[in-house]
């Protein structure tokens, strides 16, 4: 392993003899380690409370004239309870192998006998750091895997004039580190835009961690975002990495940001401003480097005005704001979006459907789409499931038809009209087939046959 790979690794060394510390410092510094020293167990614990280290090297005896090693063994246990992954190597006097064995039994990763051989000491320390890095990486990956969505880059369909400014903005700020706030009605594609921004950013090889502030109970919010240490509260049985830490070096997607409780907004502001935070129950400051993409369908200016959202936090989040227009203001995108969803769902449900018939497309173009792109997606999914034919028909889409509540008859086939009337009659008589049949002038069995034919 080349020495350079350990440069910057933080090492804490403890011994009550200053000349020992000095000798170790002289040995380790040229290897690129950042070395910190302590002369007592208390000094070690203080240092661990303030900073993170990659490895610790401790002597077992601190008070002059003691050789039992008890102080060192106690210290070892304390370190383990603070951070069970931090590798601790103990130094023992020559000839006290029993003590070394006891230390190993208590969780020391290795031991070094004094006087030490430089080569062996260096190699032990490096190995321990490599191991603990690997363990921490593994833990992080595992946590990330649980959080990350499996699907990759989304397709962002946007050909309409109303979407051009959005596309331009995405291509301009995507590759930067700027925080971006995405606004727009529900279902307009805010998450798709967030994923696209991430996918074209230099951080795309690092994780994008998502937090949905709307889906978190107030009580767990802080610990979800910032993590906690064991014992911070009753249920905190073990240390937990928060999402800000998980996203370190990468991107954090804060969805439904307006729901972040007021009492956490200050803590969030601090991470965004100076990149510092503490886990719940810990006073140890951690540094995180996170690009934040946030989204909301609320009007944050109003939230600020009414005192529910901090203005200074809004300023941090909306360095760049991307507003997504509602689908009704970009109807030109409907055919492409519809075709895209049709392909996706037809594949998923293994149905052979080539497209929409003329009147089906017309009804898609006319629909108000209060639920925006998401509603369009759902309508087409349903259509694909209902379709009996190689083309989707208005009856398959079952749109709660146009603005006045009735489809345009001139755009409908006879069958569509028939199915439409049957549905209306059934709705009027709350699904009672006999009543609906007599209202339509059909026998019950004739109505049943038609229900089957139209898949109603
Ligand atoms: N431009 C687009 N191109 C392709 N698919 C889109 C587009 N916009 C939205 N979608 C799809 O529409 C659905 C809703 O999009 P998304 O979840 O991004 O909306 P949102 O704005 O985050 O909604 P909400 O405010 O409810 O969270 C998703 O299935 C998404 O894949
Ligand atoms: Mg969303």
């Amino acid at each position: 392993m080349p020495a350079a790979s350990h440069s910057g690794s933080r090492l804490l060394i403890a011994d009550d003899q200053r000349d020992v510390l000095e000798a170790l410092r002289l040995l380790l510094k040229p290897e690129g380690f950042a070395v910190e020293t302590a002369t007592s167990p208390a000094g070690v614990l203080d240092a661990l409370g303030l900073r993170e280290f990659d490895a610790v090297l401790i002597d077992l005896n601190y008070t002059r004239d003691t050789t039992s090693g008890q102080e060192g063994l106690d210290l070892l246990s304390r370190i383990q309870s603070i951070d069970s992954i931090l590798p601790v190597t103990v130094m023992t006097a020559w000839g006290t192998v029993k003590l070394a064995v006891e230390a190993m039994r208590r969780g020391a990763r290795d031991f070094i006998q004094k006087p030490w051989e430089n080569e062996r000491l260096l190699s032990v320390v490096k190995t321990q750091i490599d191991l603990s890095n690997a363990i921490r990486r593994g833990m992080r990956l595992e946590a990330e895997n649980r959080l990350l969505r499996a699907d990759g880059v989304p397709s962002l369909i946007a050909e309409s004039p109303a979407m051009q400014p959005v596309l331009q903005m995405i291509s301009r700020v995507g590759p930067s580190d700027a925080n971006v706030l995405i606004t727009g009605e529900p279902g307009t594609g805010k998450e798709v835009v967030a994923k696209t921004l991430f996918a074209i950013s230099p951080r795309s090889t690092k994780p994008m961690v998502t937090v949905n502030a709307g889906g978190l109970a107030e009580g767990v919010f802080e610990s979800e975002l910032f993590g906690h240490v064991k014992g911070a509260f009753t249920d905190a049985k073990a240390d937990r990495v928060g999402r800000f830490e998980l996203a370190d070096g990468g991107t954090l997607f804060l969805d439904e940001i307006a729901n972040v409780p007021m009492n956490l907004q200050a803590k969030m502001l601090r991470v965004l401003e100076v990149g510092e935070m503490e886990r719940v129950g810990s006073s140890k400051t951690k540094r995180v480097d996170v690009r934040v993409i946030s989204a909301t369908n609320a009007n944050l200016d109003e939230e600020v005005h009414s005192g529910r959202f901090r203005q200074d936090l809004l300023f941090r989040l909306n360095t760049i704001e991307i507003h997504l227009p509602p689908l009704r203001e970009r109807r030109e995108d409907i055919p492409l979006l519809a075709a895209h969803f049709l392909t996706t769902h037809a594949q998923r449900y293994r149905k052979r459907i080539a497209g929409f018939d003329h009147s089906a497309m017309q009804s898609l173009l006319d629909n108000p789409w209060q639920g925006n792109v998401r509603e369009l997606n759902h309508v087409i999914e349903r259509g694909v499931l209902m379709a009996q034919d190689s083309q989707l028909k208005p009856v398959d889409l079952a749109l709660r038809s146009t603005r006045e509540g009735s489809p345009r008859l001139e755009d409908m086939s006879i069958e569509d009209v028939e199915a439409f009337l049957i549905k209306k009659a059934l709705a009027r008589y709350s699904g009672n087939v006999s009543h609906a049949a007599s209202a339509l002038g059909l026998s019950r069995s004739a109505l049943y046959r038609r229900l089957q034919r139209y898949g109603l």
Side-chain angles (χ1 to χ4, degrees):
M1 178 88 36
S5 70
H6 295 97
S7 79
S9 294
R10 303 190 68 91
L11 212 57
L12 177 61
I13 308 175
D15 198 300
D16 59 338
Q17 286 174 272
R18 293 192 187 274
D19 52 335
V20 169
L21 292 178
E22 203 40 46
L24 287 169
R25 194 200 288 277
L26 283 175
L27 171 66
L28 292 159
K29 265 210 141 154
E31 297 288 323
F33 293 108
V35 177
E36 213 167 297
T37 57
T39 53
S40 67
V44 170
L45 297 174
D46 282 349
L48 290 178
L50 287 173
R51 251 178 296 289
E52 295 195 316
F53 290 92
D54 297 299
V56 183
L57 189 59
I58 59 167
D59 188 33
L60 285 183
N61 295 308
Y62 289 87
T63 321
R64 226 159 257 288
D65 301 331
T66 60
T67 48
S68 70
Q70 196 53 48
E71 283 171 299
L73 292 176
D74 290 346
L75 175 59
L76 173 62
S77 303
R78 293 290 300 274
I79 297 174
Q80 297 260 294
S81 69
I82 295 171
D83 182 348
S84 58
I85 296 166
L86 182 64
V88 182
T89 301
V90 297
M91 293 183 282
T92 58
W94 186 253
T96 51
V97 171
K98 261 175 85 176
L99 201 52
V101 171
E102 175 59 17
M104 297 287 281
R105 205 181 60 75
R106 294 199 186 193
R109 297 278 193 80
D110 211 335
F111 67 92
I112 285 164
Q113 296 202 315
K114 287 176 172 173
W116 64 86
E117 285 169 40
N118 285 349
E119 279 310 303
R120 164 151 163 84
L121 189 138
L122 282 175
S123 118
V124 165
V125 168
K126 288 174 182 175
T127 306
Q128 293 310 328
I129 289 176
D130 287 342
L131 271 175
S132 77
N133 284 344
I135 295 170
R136 286 191 207 279
R137 221 172 16 246
M139 284 173 63
R140 258 180 71 144
L141 282 177
E142 205 184 298
E144 277 165 28
N145 287 342
R146 282 198 300 272
L147 284 172
L148 290 174
R149 301 270 173 106
D151 53 359
V153 184
S155 37
L156 177 74
I157 293 165
E159 304 241 300
S160 59
M163 284 296 278
Q164 295 320 298
V166 171
L167 289 182
Q168 280 162 16
M169 199 62 123
I170 291 174
S171 58
R172 218 173 319 142
V173 304
S176 78
D177 256 354
N179 292 339
V180 183
L181 173 67
I182 308 164
T183 58
E185 290 180 11
T188 43
K190 296 184 291 295
E191 189 167 340
V192 181
V193 168
K195 287 180 176 167
T196 309
L197 284 169
F198 166 71
I200 61 172
S201 76
R203 292 175 178 240
S204 62
T205 52
K206 301 280 177 55
M208 171 157 119
V209 175
T210 297
V211 182
N212 187 333
L216 289 176
E218 184 143 356
V220 299
F221 214 110
E222 186 172 9
S223 136
E224 281 287 332
L225 284 179
F226 302 103
H228 62 240
V229 291
K230 187 168 148 186
F233 44 88
T234 324
D235 288 335
K237 302 271 189 273
D239 282 11
R240 168 168 196 177
V241 183
R243 302 203 192 182
F244 265 102
E245 270 183 78
L246 270 179
D248 191 20
T251 308
L252 187 66
F253 177 39
L254 291 171
D255 206 358
E256 306 200 29
I257 184 82
N259 293 309
V260 174
M262 201 66 189
N263 63 337
L264 290 185
Q265 290 180 16
K267 191 161 177 178
M268 197 173 256
L269 180 65
R270 179 158 159 257
V271 199
L272 296 182
E273 276 186 335
V274 293
E276 288 182 349
M277 49 148 278
E278 289 89 27
R279 291 187 185 178
V280 178
S282 162
S283 54
K284 191 195 296 188
T285 300
K286 295 194 178 254
R287 291 203 58 82
V288 288
D289 162 29
V290 170
R291 180 198 196 182
V292 174
I293 300 178
S294 46
T296 183
N297 52 45
N299 181 333
L300 283 184
D301 289 326
E302 266 172 27
E303 296 295 298
V304 167
H305 195 69
S306 60
R308 284 189 296 267
F309 205 86
R310 291 178 68 120
Q311 178 139 46
D312 44 8
L313 180 57
L314 177 58
F315 283 153
R316 277 288 153 184
L317 294 171
N318 73 352
T319 315
I320 306 288
E321 181 168 338
I322 297 182
H323 179 73
L324 290 176
L327 187 55
R328 61 185 173 279
E329 288 171 18
R330 44 174 159 131
R331 292 183 185 277
E332 300 87 342
D333 286 335
I334 291 176
L336 262 184
L337 283 166
H340 167 68
F341 295 136
L342 182 78
T343 314
T344 315
H345 296 304
Q347 224 165 39
R348 171 145 160 239
Y349 296 113
R350 292 168 209 277
K351 291 193 103 172
R352 235 173 256 204
I353 304 172
F356 303 87
D357 76 7
H358 176 72
S359 49
M361 184 48 80
Q362 193 59 50
S363 66
L364 291 177
L365 289 169
D366 289 342
N367 199 59
W369 300 121
Q370 297 297 344
N372 293 299
V373 185
R374 176 178 296 114
E375 185 188 1
L376 176 62
N377 187 6
H378 288 163
V379 162
I380 289 172
E381 179 172 15
R382 180 185 185 285
V384 167
L385 283 168
M386 299 307 286
Q388 311 266 350
D389 211 340
S390 67
Q391 286 214 312
L392 283 194
K393 304 204 158 83
V395 62
D396 302 322
L397 299 173
L399 288 170
R400 223 178 308 106
S401 292
T402 49
R403 289 143 226 185
E404 266 66 62
S406 55
R408 296 172 12 170
L409 282 184
E410 59 270 36
D411 288 326
M412 297 171 77
S413 67
I414 302 253
E415 273 137 34
D416 288 344
V417 174
E418 193 172 64
F420 173 74
L421 291 176
I422 290 172
K423 263 196 287 183
K424 280 231 146 182
L426 280 172
R428 189 163 353 122
Y429 295 102
S430 315
N432 184 315
V433 177
S434 305
H435 290 166
S438 70
L440 290 164
L442 292 170
S443 68
R444 261 175 66 97
S445 55
L447 179 53
Y448 268 120
R449 274 199 304 281
R450 284 172 173 78
L451 289 179
Q452 254 174 350
R453 181 179 334 143
Y454 299 126
L456 295 173

